[in-house]
Amino acid sequence: MNSRDLILGRVRRALADVPRDDTPPVPEQPGRDLQYEQAVDRSYLREHGARSVAETVDLLAENLADYRAIVHRSTEEELPYVIMRLLAERGPQYVLVPPGLPPEWMSAADPTRVHDRAVSTPRELDKVTSVVTGCAVAIAETGTIVLDGGPDQGRRRITLIPDHHICVVRVPDQVVASVPQALERLDPARPLTWISGPSATSDIELDRVEGVHGPRTLEVVLVSGE
Amino acid sequence: MSGTFVGMPAFPKAAHEAVNNATLRGNLRHATHTIRAKRAKAVGEISDWAELREAGKRIKDHTLRHLDRYLTQLEESVTAAGGVVHWAADAEEANRIVTALVKMTGESEVVKVKSMATQEIGLNEALEAAGIHAYETDLAELIVQLGKDRPSHILVPAIHRNRGEIRDIFVREMGEWGRPAPEGLTDTPAELAEAARLHLREKFLRAKVGISGANFMVAETGTLVVVESEGNGRMCLTLPETLISVVGIEKIVPSWRDLEVFLQTLPRSSTAERMNPYTSMWTGTTDGDGPQTFHLVLLDNGRTDTLADEVGRQALRCIRCSACLNVCPVYERAGGHAYGSVYPGPIGAILSPQLRGTASEIDASLPFASSLCGACYEVCPVAIDIPEVLVHLRERIAQGGRATRDGNTVVLKPAKGHAAERAAMRAARWAFSHPGALGAGQRLASRTRRFHPRTLPGPGRAWSATRELPTVPAESFREWWQRTRGGKDATK
Ligand code: SF4
């Protein structure tokens, strides 16, 4: 017997005491699993507290900052100058950009743009210290930004190897209040990276130290539509 | 099970050694108290904690009760997304599969992100025997690996090392493994972290094979989830060409939506954060992004035996947050190593004897390494009634009874008169004679529990007081302590 059948057989024998499924199927909704739906009580909240849209954005800014991300606010028009300034402060020669980053975002920036090509090796990318991306969604309650590899975010590695990540969040469109709301918006088929502040460790006597492997500086620009 | 630390002394002896190690004790006390206070705050921040806890419990219970169905569903969805699924009945088989997969790539080194499942099966040792170097990349695991040591805490495995010791280990060992520690390295945490960053980056950038575990697997979508802090997980999951994930079969949740529960409870209960710095989710392979080959090794290794026990199976709900360790007075005194397994603390005391059976002295003594105060149950985000399982296991060790081993029903003999009995007795005595761990003002909520043992079932009856078994009082451990010793804490 192969191990697959062995394990599944053991599981079935182990569950001999569990009554068989006798919940009637719902013919008009094939695929619906009533037994599962009834098994789980979802009386927990969809979001914590009632907030206006502006308050939700404020909470996002607050929680991002609480986990040591550096938060900036800008309008669509100011954005290229904000990005220019943030890059100038660190003075990198090159900046990584994903293929679908709106070109106007980088229109005022000085450093030479480097595109991540499939053939680029991690070692080559390691020479670039800054990266600019958009995001898929941002979660106010937890101060989290989520990347899903969309055209303005690029491959996962480009936001991982550089030491400085500038992430642009369109507010309020890309902001949700809570984790449940974020999952509703996300597509599990895409590779997802949830980021809450710069990388950190508390492994040495529980002292929090920013940055072991991911970017040690995370700057989030909240850009509003008008 | 090859993950057993061979020759491990039974709990009380190992615990005794730990108590005499002042550094370990000081570090542990500081750590558990720090995390405990922070965690209470993070949990208190959300008003629906009780509902989330209940939902988490039910999702896991439902999954376990239909595990065969969800396993086959997961296999289908991972395969459809471009992954390859393997099944491993035990540690030996899992190690064989992973070793063969690494050999197929032609590589002789792999980078690893901390995974309890791979520690459980002793994967690093198995790879080493096949001439493959496995580099641990979690800072704490690196400290443990360089220090030729064992982890002592689920979440902070190097909790028993202070900064001075870590500096010495880095200076002494890093050069042996790759890039040496920077000249003049001091013991500030920031410098130590920088040294680890430099040392490991070299390995990440050239790695062709990554090995991981997973916190969750979604049956519906085939998605795997790794929750972490440092970014070494992202490195291992993203940069290599081949990714091999070894995951226990109990890590499944049915649907994508179920993550909304655990992504709220796990970070808060574990690191006391609203959200941990990084969470990676991947579904099979993605063209042009990340590893182009993905293998999932589904691990049994005693889990189906645990599932067969109607009382004990709830241990499989565990999401490894480590909150139960941090509140446990016995863990605080004894340290993680005393538990003789990769799963220390209260969860280890119920999981190891079920995964491995209770044939060895250490495993037979583990269920007795507790005062049944109930603090672990109170904090558990999936409401595992650890004291209930402890008592159940004690009864079976003392009186014998039916259990499942390797899928077969076996009848265990009573431990009476055997070495296991003596080990168990010593563990129980140890747990009861070291109450100094309970700090003033600590809340132990046994009053609210439905479960109030008056005496130890089984051992309490079978073994009389002449065998020096302390009976469990109906009052909480702390109340009992205050009443009998007037709260005088001689050990502090
Ligand atoms: S038993 Fe509960 S509290 Fe302990 S590690 Fe597992 S989930 Fe966390």
Side-chain angles (χ1 to χ4, degrees):
Chain A
M1 198 194 308
N2 65 32
S3 292
R4 178 184 187 277
D5 296 341
L6 180 75
I7 294 171
L8 288 172
R10 284 180 182 176
V11 169
R12 287 180 190 123
R13 279 199 305 281
L15 294 170
D17 64 298
V18 175
R20 286 293 96 196
D21 184 356
D22 49 8
T23 320
V26 194
E28 60 278 14
Q29 287 170 289
R32 216 177 134 193
D33 184 349
L34 276 185
Q35 206 186 22
Y36 163 68
E37 286 170 28
Q38 285 161 7
V40 185
D41 176 6
R42 301 203 188 251
S43 59
Y44 52 85
L45 303 171
R46 301 308 296 169
E47 63 178 282
H48 296 87
R51 277 175 221 93
S52 69
V53 171
E55 283 167 344
T56 303
V57 174
D58 288 346
L59 182 67
L60 172 67
E62 200 181 297
N63 283 335
L64 280 165
D66 192 37
Y67 283 161
R68 323 255 181 115
I70 305 167
V71 182
H72 311 273
R73 297 216 189 208
S74 128
T75 62
E76 198 84 62
E77 261 154 43
E78 294 160 355
L79 182 61
Y81 304 99
V82 173
I83 291 177
M84 175 188 77
R85 180 169 58 80
L86 298 182
L87 286 170
E89 281 168 6
R90 304 201 33 125
Q93 202 183 345
Y94 301 102
V95 57
L96 260 172
V97 290
L101 197 77
E104 58 281 8
W105 290 8
M106 302 301 293
S107 57
D110 297 320
T112 310
R113 266 161 271 171
V114 178
H115 289 276
D116 167 36
R117 293 170 307 133
V119 293
S120 313
T121 64
R123 207 171 281 283
E124 284 161 21
L125 298 178
D126 193 34
K127 300 199 174 79
V128 187
T129 51
S130 294
V131 58
V132 180
T133 71
C135 76
V137 67
I139 309 168
E141 285 182 9
T142 56
T144 304
I145 51 177
V146 186
L147 309 179
D148 72 354
D152 61 346
Q153 299 152 55
R155 293 182 181 87
R156 283 171 283 176
R157 64 185 188 180
I158 69 167
T159 50
L160 176 60
I161 299 176
D163 204 13
H164 176 217
H165 180 193
I166 299 172
C167 182
V168 177
V169 182
R170 296 171 196 272
V171 302
D173 295 2
Q174 292 189 311
V175 183
V176 297
S178 67
V179 170
Q181 292 170 353
L183 283 161
E184 276 169 19
R185 280 211 197 180
L186 291 165
D187 176 1
R190 310 185 69 104
L192 302 174
T193 306
W194 297 45
I195 301 173
S196 309
S199 96
T201 180
S202 302
D203 278 348
I204 302 165
E205 294 184 12
L206 295 166
D207 268 0
R208 188 178 160 111
V209 179
E210 248 82 71
V212 193
H213 303 297
R216 284 181 286 192
T217 308
L218 172 65
E219 304 204 65
V220 180
V221 187
L222 305 178
V223 57
S224 52
E226 66 282 358
Chain B
M1 192 174 95
S2 61
T4 315
F5 301 125
V6 183
M8 190 72 209
F11 182 85
K13 183 151 186 296
H16 193 72
E17 284 160 14
V19 166
N20 290 331
N21 180 337
T23 311
L24 170 62
R25 224 170 59 201
N27 290 359
L28 266 181
R29 171 177 296 259
H30 171 66
T32 54
H33 284 251
T34 308
I35 305 179
R36 211 188 286 173
K38 281 167 63 185
R39 179 189 177 279
K41 188 164 166 276
V43 167
E45 223 177 71
I46 46 175
S47 55
D48 57 341
W49 181 260
E51 287 80 9
L52 286 167
R53 182 177 187 244
E54 183 63 23
K57 169 181 188 255
R58 295 213 194 168
I59 290 168
K60 284 282 187 174
D61 269 348
H62 170 81
T63 314
L64 290 171
R65 291 167 76 88
H66 303 273
L67 193 58
D68 50 340
R69 193 174 98 207
Y70 287 120
L71 278 168
T72 41
Q73 190 187 5
L74 178 80
E75 180 186 40
E76 273 168 37
S77 42
V78 169
T79 308
V84 184
V85 177
H86 310 259
W87 301 71
D90 55 25
E92 201 264 325
E93 186 174 16
N95 289 332
R96 202 163 6 97
I97 292 170
V98 176
T99 306
L101 290 173
V102 178
K103 290 244 151 160
M104 248 162 55
T105 66
E107 293 295 314
S108 60
E109 60 178 50
V110 300
V111 287
K112 274 189 71 201
V113 49
K114 174 183 160 179
S115 133
M116 306 207 55
T118 59
Q119 277 169 20
E120 176 191 316
I121 61 175
L123 179 63
N124 290 6
E125 293 75 13
L127 289 173
E128 200 66 53
I132 299 160
H133 295 287
Y135 294 110
E136 291 292 350
T137 62
D138 196 81
L139 179 52
E141 296 295 338
L142 175 73
I143 296 167
V144 168
Q145 189 174 48
L146 292 177
K148 304 180 177 69
D149 207 350
R150 292 194 314 269
S152 61
H153 189 281
I154 294 179
L155 186 66
V156 210
I159 208 165
H160 58 292
R161 295 284 193 190
N162 64 28
R163 61 183 74 187
E165 292 178 294
I166 294 169
R167 180 203 161 270
D168 294 345
I169 292 170
F170 279 11
V171 169
R172 199 174 61 232
E173 302 290 339
M174 270 184 171
E176 291 283 305
W177 292 75
R179 182 171 173 152
E183 285 286 316
L185 180 69
T186 73
D187 66 358
T188 59
E191 272 194 40
L192 294 172
E194 171 74 12
R197 180 184 171 99
L198 294 170
H199 178 80
L200 287 171
R201 180 150 297 222
E202 183 196 73
K203 303 209 185 319
F204 289 134
L205 295 180
R206 67 161 191 247
K208 296 280 183 284
V209 183
I211 296 183
S212 83
N215 294 89
F216 306 101
M217 307 186 280
V218 183
E220 171 192 44
T221 59
T223 309
L224 269 73
V225 182
V226 164
V227 169
E228 54 138 353
S229 294
E230 295 172 14
N232 60 311
R234 291 178 68 193
M235 292 276 181
C236 294
L237 299 169
T238 311
L239 298 186
E241 290 160 8
T242 300
L243 172 63
I244 305 168
S245 301
V246 182
V247 190
I249 53 173
E250 82 284 18
K251 296 280 171 180
I252 300 191
V253 297
S255 71
W256 174 247
R257 186 185 176 184
D258 295 325
L259 294 175
E260 71 189 21
V261 174
F262 300 108
L263 289 181
Q264 294 194 79
T265 52
L266 179 56
R268 287 180 198 266
S269 192
S270 174
T271 46
E273 292 167 304
R274 283 178 211 112
M275 191 60 87
N276 50 288
Y278 296 132
T279 298
S280 297
M281 304 182 181
W282 72 99
T283 304
T285 55
T286 306
D287 282 345
D289 185 356
Q292 294 303 295
T293 308
F294 169 54
H295 296 279
L296 171 61
V297 181
L298 294 170
L299 177 71
D300 180 349
N301 205 34
R303 284 159 178 77
T304 49
D305 292 343
T306 309
L307 187 67
D309 187 316
E310 288 175 41
V311 178
R313 68 166 63 123
Q314 57 183 306
L316 298 175
R317 292 205 295 259
C318 176
I319 56 172
R320 312 275 189 265
C321 74
S322 76
C324 58
L325 278 63
N326 300 325
V327 297
C328 178
V330 175
Y331 173 82
E332 186 182 314
R333 292 285 295 178
H337 291 153
Y339 292 82
S341 117
V342 295
Y343 305 106
I347 181 62
I350 61 169
L351 200 53
S352 309
Q354 296 199 84
L355 292 178
R356 303 196 296 215
T358 50
S360 75
E361 269 190 51
I362 177 76
D363 289 324
S365 65
L366 281 178
F368 295 86
S370 164
S371 60
L372 301 179
C373 77
C376 48
Y377 166 73
E378 290 293 314
V379 295
C380 179
V382 284
I384 300 173
D385 197 336
I386 294 175
E388 181 188 23
V389 182
L390 285 169
V391 170
H392 169 71
L393 295 175
R394 286 178 183 189
E395 201 160 39
R396 201 172 53 203
I397 290 163
Q399 299 178 334
R402 292 159 80 83
T404 309
R405 296 306 313 152
D406 303 323
N408 302 314
T409 305
V410 295
V411 179
L412 301 174
K413 288 200 202 67
K416 196 161 183 282
H418 292 91
E421 180 197 24
R422 291 188 290 278
M425 288 299 91
R426 284 195 300 271
R429 215 155 47 227
W430 193 90
F432 271 87
S433 58
H434 288 80
L438 302 179
Q442 180 190 335
R443 191 182 70 97
L444 288 175
S446 75
R447 221 175 276 108
T448 60
R449 295 178 36 70
R450 62 183 165 80
F451 173 78
H452 279 259
R454 271 187 192 286
T455 55
L456 293 181
R461 285 191 299 275
W463 300 333
S464 69
T466 58
R467 289 178 189 254
E468 298 175 85
L469 180 83
T471 46
V472 178
E475 62 204 323
S476 82
F477 185 60
R478 180 158 177 74
E479 287 163 343
W480 167 80
W481 167 242
Q482 287 207 309
R483 184 170 58 74
T484 53
R485 305 262 179 105
K488 272 189 241 93
D489 191 343
T491 60
K492 256 190 233 152

